[in-house]
Amino acid sequence: MLLCIQIQPDLRQLMETMNRMSHLPPDFEGRQKVNQWLQTLSGMSASDELDDSQVRQMLFDLEFAYNAFNRFLHS
């Protein structure tokens, strides 16, 4: 299990970094995935845990965002 408080600061920092990158389009897929998880986590209390399914989905979504960012860099 993963506590909400463990991952939220890192995701927030990632979102802030993406927002500072002026070359990323506003509809960048990776930003949307990270933002969706930030919204999910902000609705949880600090002691709430993500279940195994949510953790797997988050890993999948972050891998998707990473790959989208690499595609952006190489385009």
Side-chain angles (χ1 to χ4, degrees), residues 2-49:
L2 183 65
L3 288 173
C4 174
I5 198 168
Q6 291 174 304
I7 191 70
Q8 192 170 16
D10 291 333
L11 285 179
R12 189 171 313 284
Q13 183 177 14
L14 176 58
M15 179 58 78
E16 289 170 1
T17 299
M18 285 191 289
N19 287 338
R20 285 193 305 268
M21 296 184 72
S22 60
H23 290 85
L24 279 180
D27 61 344
F28 175 65
E29 298 167 299
R31 182 183 292 144
Q32 294 171 355
K33 293 288 186 184
V34 172
N35 191 44
Q36 289 170 350
W37 277 107
L38 279 172
Q39 289 176 5
T40 298
L41 295 174
S42 69
M44 300 171 74
S45 71
S47 62
D48 285 346
E49 295 180 342

Side-chain angles (χ1 to χ4, degrees), residues 28 30-31 33-34 60-70:
F28 175 65
R31 182 183 292 144
K33 293 288 186 184
V34 172
F60 178 81
D61 290 344
L62 291 176
E63 180 73 19
F64 175 88
Y66 174 77
N67 290 329
F69 184 69
N70 277 325

